[in-house]
mmCIF file of all heavy atoms in Angstrom:
data_model
loop_
_atom_site.group_PDB
_atom_site.id
_atom_site.type_symbol
_atom_site.label_atom_id
_atom_site.label_comp_id
_atom_site.label_asym_id
_atom_site.label_seq_id
_atom_site.Cartn_x
_atom_site.Cartn_y
_atom_site.Cartn_z
ATOM 1 N N MET L 1321 73.590 117.140 110.851
ATOM 2 C CA MET L 1321 73.322 116.995 109.304
ATOM 3 C C MET L 1321 74.725 117.125 108.714
ATOM 4 O O MET L 1321 74.951 116.369 107.755
ATOM 5 C CB MET L 1321 72.389 117.987 108.864
ATOM 6 C CG MET L 1321 72.185 117.883 107.367
ATOM 7 S SD MET L 1321 70.613 118.752 106.768
ATOM 8 C CE MET L 1321 71.037 120.437 107.279
ATOM 9 N N ALA L 1322 75.586 118.064 109.091
ATOM 10 C CA ALA L 1322 76.794 118.270 108.320
ATOM 11 C C ALA L 1322 77.726 117.028 108.462
ATOM 12 O O ALA L 1322 78.296 116.623 107.418
ATOM 13 C CB ALA L 1322 77.573 119.534 109.033
ATOM 14 N N SER L 1323 77.796 116.436 109.575
ATOM 15 C CA SER L 1323 78.683 115.212 109.723
ATOM 16 C C SER L 1323 77.984 114.049 109.037
ATOM 17 O O SER L 1323 78.754 113.228 108.474
ATOM 18 C CB SER L 1323 78.892 114.850 111.187
ATOM 19 O OG SER L 1323 77.603 114.515 111.914
ATOM 20 N N ALA L 1324 76.708 113.903 109.067
ATOM 21 C CA ALA L 1324 76.015 112.821 108.263
ATOM 22 C C ALA L 1324 76.201 112.991 106.745
ATOM 23 O O ALA L 1324 76.440 112.021 106.102
ATOM 24 C CB ALA L 1324 74.507 112.816 108.560
ATOM 25 N N MET L 1325 76.089 114.317 106.235
ATOM 26 C CA MET L 1325 76.452 114.570 104.876
ATOM 27 C C MET L 1325 77.926 114.138 104.425
ATOM 28 O O MET L 1325 78.136 113.520 103.458
ATOM 29 C CB MET L 1325 76.145 115.988 104.555
ATOM 30 C CG MET L 1325 74.778 116.414 104.425
ATOM 31 S SD MET L 1325 74.695 118.202 103.963
ATOM 32 C CE MET L 1325 72.881 118.317 103.611
ATOM 33 N N ALA L 1326 78.788 114.517 105.396
ATOM 34 C CA ALA L 1326 80.226 114.188 105.153
ATOM 35 C C ALA L 1326 80.485 112.752 105.099
ATOM 36 O O ALA L 1326 81.122 112.206 104.148
ATOM 37 C CB ALA L 1326 81.106 114.868 106.227
ATOM 38 N N LYS L 1327 79.909 112.012 106.053
ATOM 39 C CA LYS L 1327 80.138 110.645 106.034
ATOM 40 C C LYS L 1327 79.478 109.888 104.892
ATOM 41 O O LYS L 1327 79.984 109.050 104.264
ATOM 42 C CB LYS L 1327 79.522 109.900 107.465
ATOM 43 C CG LYS L 1327 79.907 108.561 107.650
ATOM 44 C CD LYS L 1327 78.995 107.591 107.055
ATOM 45 C CE LYS L 1327 79.301 106.132 107.309
ATOM 46 N NZ LYS L 1327 78.507 105.171 106.641
ATOM 47 N N LEU L 1328 78.244 110.335 104.617
ATOM 48 C CA LEU L 1328 77.523 109.817 103.353
ATOM 49 C C LEU L 1328 78.271 110.016 102.091
ATOM 50 O O LEU L 1328 78.580 109.091 101.417
ATOM 51 C CB LEU L 1328 76.124 110.406 103.307
ATOM 52 C CG LEU L 1328 75.347 110.217 101.983
ATOM 53 C CD1 LEU L 1328 75.090 108.724 101.816
ATOM 54 C CD2 LEU L 1328 74.123 111.077 101.984
ATOM 55 N N TYR L 1329 78.657 111.226 101.905
ATOM 56 C CA TYR L 1329 79.396 111.555 100.557
ATOM 57 C C TYR L 1329 80.749 111.049 100.440
ATOM 58 O O TYR L 1329 81.161 110.389 99.526
ATOM 59 C CB TYR L 1329 79.364 113.019 100.425
ATOM 60 C CG TYR L 1329 79.929 113.398 98.917
ATOM 61 C CD1 TYR L 1329 79.075 113.451 97.878
ATOM 62 C CD2 TYR L 1329 81.215 113.662 98.667
ATOM 63 C CE1 TYR L 1329 79.459 113.778 96.609
ATOM 64 C CE2 TYR L 1329 81.689 113.820 97.469
ATOM 65 C CZ TYR L 1329 80.795 113.946 96.434
ATOM 66 O OH TYR L 1329 81.271 114.155 95.129
ATOM 67 N N ALA L 1330 81.493 111.126 101.523
ATOM 68 C CA ALA L 1330 82.950 110.714 101.546
ATOM 69 C C ALA L 1330 83.017 109.210 101.356
ATOM 70 O O ALA L 1330 83.848 108.631 100.642
ATOM 71 C CB ALA L 1330 83.603 111.127 102.735
ATOM 72 N N SER L 1331 82.150 108.474 102.065
ATOM 73 C CA SER L 1331 82.202 107.041 102.027
ATOM 74 C C SER L 1331 81.815 106.502 100.596
ATOM 75 O O SER L 1331 82.379 105.651 99.975
ATOM 76 C CB SER L 1331 81.388 106.366 103.039
ATOM 77 O OG SER L 1331 80.016 106.723 102.924
ATOM 78 N N GLU L 1332 80.778 107.070 100.103
ATOM 79 C CA GLU L 1332 80.361 106.758 98.746
ATOM 80 C C GLU L 1332 81.370 107.116 97.689
ATOM 81 O O GLU L 1332 81.640 106.350 96.715
ATOM 82 C CB GLU L 1332 78.966 107.437 98.389
ATOM 83 C CG GLU L 1332 77.837 106.989 99.168
ATOM 84 C CD GLU L 1332 77.267 105.652 98.794
ATOM 85 O OE1 GLU L 1332 77.735 105.042 97.922
ATOM 86 O OE2 GLU L 1332 76.428 105.095 99.638
ATOM 87 N N ALA L 1333 81.984 108.247 97.872
ATOM 88 C CA ALA L 1333 83.064 108.666 96.972
ATOM 89 C C ALA L 1333 84.309 107.667 97.112
ATOM 90 O O ALA L 1333 84.858 107.389 95.975
ATOM 91 C CB ALA L 1333 83.565 110.018 97.288
ATOM 92 N N ALA L 1334 84.698 107.266 98.235
ATOM 93 C CA ALA L 1334 85.719 106.319 98.390
ATOM 94 C C ALA L 1334 85.537 104.982 97.730
ATOM 95 O O ALA L 1334 86.379 104.450 97.106
ATOM 96 C CB ALA L 1334 86.009 106.101 99.947
ATOM 97 N N ALA L 1335 84.309 104.520 97.845
ATOM 98 C CA ALA L 1335 83.783 103.206 97.208
ATOM 99 C C ALA L 1335 83.918 103.312 95.661
ATOM 100 O O ALA L 1335 84.511 102.482 95.061
ATOM 101 C CB ALA L 1335 82.465 102.819 97.648
ATOM 102 N N GLU L 1336 83.590 104.540 95.248
ATOM 103 C CA GLU L 1336 83.555 104.668 93.766
ATOM 104 C C GLU L 1336 84.945 104.975 93.291
ATOM 105 O O GLU L 1336 85.472 104.367 92.224
ATOM 106 C CB GLU L 1336 82.642 105.818 93.443
ATOM 107 C CG GLU L 1336 82.503 106.151 91.937
ATOM 108 C CD GLU L 1336 81.938 105.077 91.139
ATOM 109 O OE1 GLU L 1336 81.133 104.300 91.734
ATOM 110 O OE2 GLU L 1336 82.051 105.010 89.886
ATOM 111 N N ILE L 1337 85.736 105.723 94.008
ATOM 112 C CA ILE L 1337 87.088 106.062 93.529
ATOM 113 C C ILE L 1337 88.018 104.848 93.513
ATOM 114 O O ILE L 1337 88.805 104.634 92.580
ATOM 115 C CB ILE L 1337 87.681 107.192 94.377
ATOM 116 C CG1 ILE L 1337 86.946 108.571 94.083
ATOM 117 C CG2 ILE L 1337 89.228 107.319 94.115
ATOM 118 C CD1 ILE L 1337 87.268 109.581 94.989
ATOM 119 N N THR L 1338 87.907 104.036 94.598
ATOM 120 C CA THR L 1338 88.685 102.766 94.611
ATOM 121 C C THR L 1338 88.220 101.859 93.532
ATOM 122 O O THR L 1338 89.088 101.044 92.994
ATOM 123 C CB THR L 1338 88.610 102.138 96.078
ATOM 124 O OG1 THR L 1338 87.305 101.866 96.350
ATOM 125 C CG2 THR L 1338 89.222 102.991 97.068
ATOM 126 N N ARG L 1339 87.002 101.745 93.254
ATOM 127 C CA ARG L 1339 86.500 100.893 92.134
ATOM 128 C C ARG L 1339 86.937 101.330 90.810
ATOM 129 O O ARG L 1339 87.435 100.581 89.997
ATOM 130 C CB ARG L 1339 84.938 100.860 92.137
ATOM 131 C CG ARG L 1339 84.392 99.783 91.102
ATOM 132 C CD ARG L 1339 82.900 99.854 91.031
ATOM 133 N NE ARG L 1339 82.456 101.083 90.368
ATOM 134 C CZ ARG L 1339 81.146 101.286 90.098
ATOM 135 N NH1 ARG L 1339 80.272 100.323 90.286
ATOM 136 N NH2 ARG L 1339 80.835 102.328 89.447
ATOM 137 N N GLU L 1340 87.034 102.582 90.623
ATOM 138 C CA GLU L 1340 87.517 103.179 89.330
ATOM 139 C C GLU L 1340 89.032 103.054 89.284
ATOM 140 O O GLU L 1340 89.550 102.808 88.172
ATOM 141 C CB GLU L 1340 87.061 104.758 89.243
ATOM 142 C CG GLU L 1340 85.675 104.898 89.033
ATOM 143 C CD GLU L 1340 85.153 104.291 87.737
ATOM 144 O OE1 GLU L 1340 85.526 104.742 86.595
ATOM 145 O OE2 GLU L 1340 84.430 103.198 87.895
ATOM 146 N N ALA L 1341 89.700 103.075 90.383
ATOM 147 C CA ALA L 1341 91.112 102.830 90.433
ATOM 148 C C ALA L 1341 91.419 101.307 89.945
ATOM 149 O O ALA L 1341 92.387 101.133 89.152
ATOM 150 C CB ALA L 1341 91.782 103.068 91.822
ATOM 151 N N MET L 1342 90.553 100.430 90.392
ATOM 152 C CA MET L 1342 90.723 99.018 90.019
ATOM 153 C C MET L 1342 90.569 98.953 88.438
ATOM 154 O O MET L 1342 91.378 98.248 87.832
ATOM 155 C CB MET L 1342 89.729 98.156 90.652
ATOM 156 C CG MET L 1342 90.020 97.931 92.081
ATOM 157 S SD MET L 1342 88.788 96.883 92.891
ATOM 158 C CE MET L 1342 89.106 95.315 92.101
ATOM 159 N N ARG L 1343 89.709 99.713 87.902
ATOM 160 C CA ARG L 1343 89.450 99.655 86.429
ATOM 161 C C ARG L 1343 90.752 100.311 85.685
ATOM 162 O O ARG L 1343 91.052 99.885 84.618
ATOM 163 C CB ARG L 1343 88.191 100.452 86.107
ATOM 164 C CG ARG L 1343 86.940 99.602 86.525
ATOM 165 C CD ARG L 1343 85.741 100.421 86.163
ATOM 166 N NE ARG L 1343 84.571 99.498 86.254
ATOM 167 C CZ ARG L 1343 83.229 99.896 86.172
ATOM 168 N NH1 ARG L 1343 83.049 101.237 86.001
ATOM 169 N NH2 ARG L 1343 82.301 99.049 86.236
ATOM 170 N N VAL L 1344 91.319 101.301 86.244
ATOM 171 C CA VAL L 1344 92.385 101.846 85.589
ATOM 172 C C VAL L 1344 93.561 100.952 85.610
ATOM 173 O O VAL L 1344 94.295 100.816 84.482
ATOM 174 C CB VAL L 1344 92.834 103.290 86.340
ATOM 175 C CG1 VAL L 1344 94.190 103.676 85.848
ATOM 176 C CG2 VAL L 1344 91.858 104.239 86.236
ATOM 177 N N LEU L 1345 93.667 100.152 86.696
ATOM 178 C CA LEU L 1345 94.839 99.193 86.707
ATOM 179 C C LEU L 1345 94.516 97.877 85.981
ATOM 180 O O LEU L 1345 95.368 97.180 85.751
ATOM 181 C CB LEU L 1345 95.065 98.859 88.146
ATOM 182 C CG LEU L 1345 96.263 99.675 88.919
ATOM 183 C CD1 LEU L 1345 95.682 101.164 89.110
ATOM 184 C CD2 LEU L 1345 96.584 99.086 90.242
ATOM 185 N N GLY L 1346 93.186 97.724 85.615
ATOM 186 C CA GLY L 1346 92.840 96.598 84.841
ATOM 187 C C GLY L 1346 93.017 95.248 85.694
ATOM 188 O O GLY L 1346 92.700 95.399 86.915
ATOM 189 N N GLY L 1347 93.540 94.248 85.171
ATOM 190 C CA GLY L 1347 93.785 93.085 85.881
ATOM 191 C C GLY L 1347 94.630 93.133 87.152
ATOM 192 O O GLY L 1347 94.430 92.490 88.176
ATOM 193 N N ALA L 1348 95.621 94.093 87.075
ATOM 194 C CA ALA L 1348 96.494 94.272 88.118
ATOM 195 C C ALA L 1348 95.718 94.797 89.428
ATOM 196 O O ALA L 1348 96.153 94.637 90.507
ATOM 197 C CB ALA L 1348 97.616 95.223 87.812
ATOM 198 N N GLY L 1349 94.594 95.551 89.161
ATOM 199 C CA GLY L 1349 93.922 96.076 90.244
ATOM 200 C C GLY L 1349 93.178 95.113 91.066
ATOM 201 O O GLY L 1349 92.697 95.379 92.224
ATOM 202 N N TYR L 1350 93.058 93.795 90.636
ATOM 203 C CA TYR L 1350 92.437 92.809 91.357
ATOM 204 C C TYR L 1350 93.507 91.864 92.043
ATOM 205 O O TYR L 1350 93.022 90.927 92.701
ATOM 206 C CB TYR L 1350 91.590 91.881 90.321
ATOM 207 C CG TYR L 1350 90.515 91.041 90.898
ATOM 208 C CD1 TYR L 1350 89.384 91.646 91.535
ATOM 209 C CD2 TYR L 1350 90.602 89.720 90.979
ATOM 210 C CE1 TYR L 1350 88.373 90.907 92.154
ATOM 211 C CE2 TYR L 1350 89.600 88.916 91.548
ATOM 212 C CZ TYR L 1350 88.593 89.509 92.179
ATOM 213 O OH TYR L 1350 87.516 88.701 92.671
ATOM 214 N N ILE L 1351 94.573 92.244 91.933
ATOM 215 C CA ILE L 1351 95.770 91.466 92.483
ATOM 216 C C ILE L 1351 96.197 91.978 93.766
ATOM 217 O O ILE L 1351 96.357 93.232 93.939
ATOM 218 C CB ILE L 1351 96.978 91.389 91.521
ATOM 219 C CG1 ILE L 1351 96.697 90.757 90.169
ATOM 220 C CG2 ILE L 1351 98.071 90.572 92.240
ATOM 221 C CD1 ILE L 1351 96.035 89.364 90.272
ATOM 222 N N ALA L 1352 96.273 91.186 94.871
ATOM 223 C CA ALA L 1352 96.696 91.594 96.205
ATOM 224 C C ALA L 1352 98.018 92.361 96.234
ATOM 225 O O ALA L 1352 98.244 93.217 97.145
ATOM 226 C CB ALA L 1352 96.643 90.462 97.225
ATOM 227 N N ASP L 1353 98.896 92.087 95.408
ATOM 228 C CA ASP L 1353 100.177 92.808 95.334
ATOM 229 C C ASP L 1353 100.076 94.269 95.110
ATOM 230 O O ASP L 1353 100.936 95.143 95.557
ATOM 231 C CB ASP L 1353 101.162 92.257 94.241
ATOM 232 C CG ASP L 1353 101.608 90.852 94.569
ATOM 233 O OD1 ASP L 1353 101.355 90.353 95.689
ATOM 234 O OD2 ASP L 1353 102.173 90.163 93.652
ATOM 235 N N TYR L 1354 98.886 94.628 94.507
ATOM 236 C CA TYR L 1354 98.759 96.097 94.311
ATOM 237 C C TYR L 1354 97.712 96.616 95.334
ATOM 238 O O TYR L 1354 96.800 96.085 95.751
ATOM 239 C CB TYR L 1354 98.058 96.397 92.860
ATOM 240 C CG TYR L 1354 99.022 96.141 91.775
ATOM 241 C CD1 TYR L 1354 99.273 94.886 91.323
ATOM 242 C CD2 TYR L 1354 99.697 97.223 91.206
ATOM 243 C CE1 TYR L 1354 100.189 94.652 90.215
ATOM 244 C CE2 TYR L 1354 100.583 97.047 90.189
ATOM 245 C CZ TYR L 1354 100.878 95.790 89.683
ATOM 246 O OH TYR L 1354 101.841 95.565 88.678
ATOM 247 N N GLN L 1355 98.118 97.775 95.817
ATOM 248 C CA GLN L 1355 97.404 98.356 97.031
ATOM 249 C C GLN L 1355 95.830 98.658 96.748
ATOM 250 O O GLN L 1355 95.079 98.566 97.647
ATOM 251 C CB GLN L 1355 98.046 99.801 97.324
ATOM 252 C CG GLN L 1355 97.583 100.400 98.555
ATOM 253 C CD GLN L 1355 98.246 101.738 98.880
ATOM 254 O OE1 GLN L 1355 99.044 102.229 98.009
ATOM 255 N NE2 GLN L 1355 98.019 102.341 99.925
ATOM 256 N N VAL L 1356 95.539 98.786 95.538
ATOM 257 C CA VAL L 1356 94.143 99.132 95.265
ATOM 258 C C VAL L 1356 93.178 98.058 95.617
ATOM 259 O O VAL L 1356 92.010 98.305 96.031
ATOM 260 C CB VAL L 1356 94.009 99.547 93.740
ATOM 261 C CG1 VAL L 1356 92.531 99.478 93.352
ATOM 262 C CG2 VAL L 1356 94.554 100.801 93.413
ATOM 263 N N GLU L 1357 93.596 96.809 95.518
ATOM 264 C CA GLU L 1357 92.692 95.665 95.850
ATOM 265 C C GLU L 1357 92.302 95.863 97.354
ATOM 266 O O GLU L 1357 91.119 95.658 97.723
ATOM 267 C CB GLU L 1357 93.371 94.352 95.577
ATOM 268 C CG GLU L 1357 92.554 93.134 96.060
ATOM 269 C CD GLU L 1357 92.899 92.676 97.402
ATOM 270 O OE1 GLU L 1357 93.961 93.046 97.996
ATOM 271 O OE2 GLU L 1357 92.098 91.944 97.883
ATOM 272 N N ARG L 1358 93.219 96.163 98.228
ATOM 273 C CA ARG L 1358 92.942 96.297 99.721
ATOM 274 C C ARG L 1358 92.136 97.589 99.872
ATOM 275 O O ARG L 1358 91.188 97.535 100.662
ATOM 276 C CB ARG L 1358 94.312 96.350 100.446
ATOM 277 C CG ARG L 1358 94.006 96.761 101.860
ATOM 278 C CD ARG L 1358 95.332 96.767 102.651
ATOM 279 N NE ARG L 1358 96.373 97.517 102.261
ATOM 280 C CZ ARG L 1358 96.490 98.809 102.514
ATOM 281 N NH1 ARG L 1358 95.588 99.479 103.204
ATOM 282 N NH2 ARG L 1358 97.501 99.509 102.073
ATOM 283 N N LEU L 1359 92.431 98.569 99.269
ATOM 284 C CA LEU L 1359 91.785 99.849 99.419
ATOM 285 C C LEU L 1359 90.226 99.776 99.095
ATOM 286 O O LEU L 1359 89.437 100.260 99.849
ATOM 287 C CB LEU L 1359 92.352 100.963 98.551
ATOM 288 C CG LEU L 1359 93.865 101.461 98.926
ATOM 289 C CD1 LEU L 1359 94.450 102.367 97.930
ATOM 290 C CD2 LEU L 1359 93.883 102.046 100.320
ATOM 291 N N HIS L 1360 90.018 99.001 98.027
ATOM 292 C CA HIS L 1360 88.600 98.957 97.653
ATOM 293 C C HIS L 1360 87.854 98.120 98.699
ATOM 294 O O HIS L 1360 86.709 98.426 99.116
ATOM 295 C CB HIS L 1360 88.433 98.176 96.318
ATOM 296 C CG HIS L 1360 87.021 98.144 95.775
ATOM 297 N ND1 HIS L 1360 86.186 99.279 95.793
ATOM 298 C CD2 HIS L 1360 86.209 97.075 95.373
ATOM 299 C CE1 HIS L 1360 85.008 98.874 95.285
ATOM 300 N NE2 HIS L 1360 84.983 97.597 95.195
ATOM 301 N N ARG L 1361 88.476 97.059 99.230
ATOM 302 C CA ARG L 1361 87.766 96.215 100.269
ATOM 303 C C ARG L 1361 87.501 97.109 101.520
ATOM 304 O O ARG L 1361 86.530 97.015 102.178
ATOM 305 C CB ARG L 1361 88.548 95.009 100.595
ATOM 306 C CG ARG L 1361 88.573 93.962 99.569
ATOM 307 C CD ARG L 1361 89.307 92.637 100.122
ATOM 308 N NE ARG L 1361 90.730 92.762 100.138
ATOM 309 C CZ ARG L 1361 91.458 92.960 101.182
ATOM 310 N NH1 ARG L 1361 90.802 92.938 102.371
ATOM 311 N NH2 ARG L 1361 92.815 93.074 101.097
ATOM 312 N N GLU L 1362 88.533 97.907 101.843
ATOM 313 C CA GLU L 1362 88.383 98.726 103.021
ATOM 314 C C GLU L 1362 87.408 99.869 102.903
ATOM 315 O O GLU L 1362 86.703 100.141 103.858
ATOM 316 C CB GLU L 1362 89.764 99.242 103.501
ATOM 317 C CG GLU L 1362 90.734 98.182 103.935
ATOM 318 C CD GLU L 1362 92.086 98.756 104.279
ATOM 319 O OE1 GLU L 1362 92.424 99.826 103.901
ATOM 320 O OE2 GLU L 1362 92.839 97.920 104.972
ATOM 321 N N ALA L 1363 87.345 100.389 101.617
ATOM 322 C CA ALA L 1363 86.435 101.529 101.464
ATOM 323 C C ALA L 1363 84.982 101.029 101.591
ATOM 324 O O ALA L 1363 84.016 101.831 102.067
ATOM 325 C CB ALA L 1363 86.500 101.986 100.010
ATOM 326 N N LEU L 1364 84.681 99.816 101.493
ATOM 327 C CA LEU L 1364 83.279 99.312 101.494
ATOM 328 C C LEU L 1364 82.798 99.285 102.949
ATOM 329 O O LEU L 1364 81.558 99.444 103.245
ATOM 330 C CB LEU L 1364 83.190 97.878 100.957
ATOM 331 C CG LEU L 1364 83.533 97.692 99.421
ATOM 332 C CD1 LEU L 1364 83.402 96.286 99.124
ATOM 333 C CD2 LEU L 1364 82.553 98.549 98.695
ATOM 334 N N LEU L 1365 83.690 99.213 103.939
ATOM 335 C CA LEU L 1365 83.234 99.255 105.336
ATOM 336 C C LEU L 1365 82.662 100.705 105.625
ATOM 337 O O LEU L 1365 81.698 100.798 106.452
ATOM 338 C CB LEU L 1365 84.562 99.040 106.202
ATOM 339 C CG LEU L 1365 84.192 99.247 107.723
ATOM 340 C CD1 LEU L 1365 83.096 98.232 108.329
ATOM 341 C CD2 LEU L 1365 85.452 99.295 108.610
ATOM 342 N N TYR L 1366 83.114 101.660 105.120
ATOM 343 C CA TYR L 1366 82.729 103.019 105.372
ATOM 344 C C TYR L 1366 81.275 103.280 104.956
ATOM 345 O O TYR L 1366 80.735 104.193 105.380
ATOM 346 C CB TYR L 1366 83.676 104.120 104.633
ATOM 347 C CG TYR L 1366 85.091 104.043 105.329
ATOM 348 C CD1 TYR L 1366 86.197 104.092 104.278
ATOM 349 C CD2 TYR L 1366 85.342 103.975 106.651
ATOM 350 C CE1 TYR L 1366 87.452 104.011 104.794
ATOM 351 C CE2 TYR L 1366 86.643 103.787 107.054
ATOM 352 C CZ TYR L 1366 87.737 103.832 106.233
ATOM 353 O OH TYR L 1366 88.997 103.753 106.598
ATOM 354 N N LEU L 1367 80.843 102.461 104.042
ATOM 355 C CA LEU L 1367 79.359 102.526 103.632
ATOM 356 C C LEU L 1367 78.397 102.160 104.800
ATOM 357 O O LEU L 1367 77.248 102.605 104.833
ATOM 358 C CB LEU L 1367 79.072 101.668 102.415
ATOM 359 C CG LEU L 1367 79.945 101.948 101.061
ATOM 360 C CD1 LEU L 1367 79.582 100.960 100.106
ATOM 361 C CD2 LEU L 1367 79.660 103.392 100.677
#
């Protein structure tokens, strides 16, 4: 249960945090030159 909780919460948090980071960067967050675009795509795998 503990590991399932960790995986559940951390992966959902990563997806949300990377999405919010894209919003902070605005249009730049959607550009591949900025790390956040890749981070958000990668975070989705953990779901």
Side-chain angles (χ1 to χ4, degrees):
M1321 180 162 63
S1323 63
M1325 285 181 167
K1327 191 273 177 184
L1328 168 65
Y1329 188 85
S1331 62
E1332 295 287 350
E1336 183 65 19
I1337 289 169
T1338 55
R1339 187 183 71 170
E1340 291 301 290
M1342 289 180 69
R1343 289 179 167 175
V1344 171
L1345 270 67
Y1350 199 68
I1351 302 300
D1353 289 349
Y1354 287 84
Q1355 189 180 3
V1356 166
E1357 179 269 343
R1358 170 174 60 83
L1359 293 172
H1360 185 54
R1361 286 187 288 106
E1362 292 176 345
L1364 297 179
L1365 173 66
Y1366 299 133
L1367 300 176

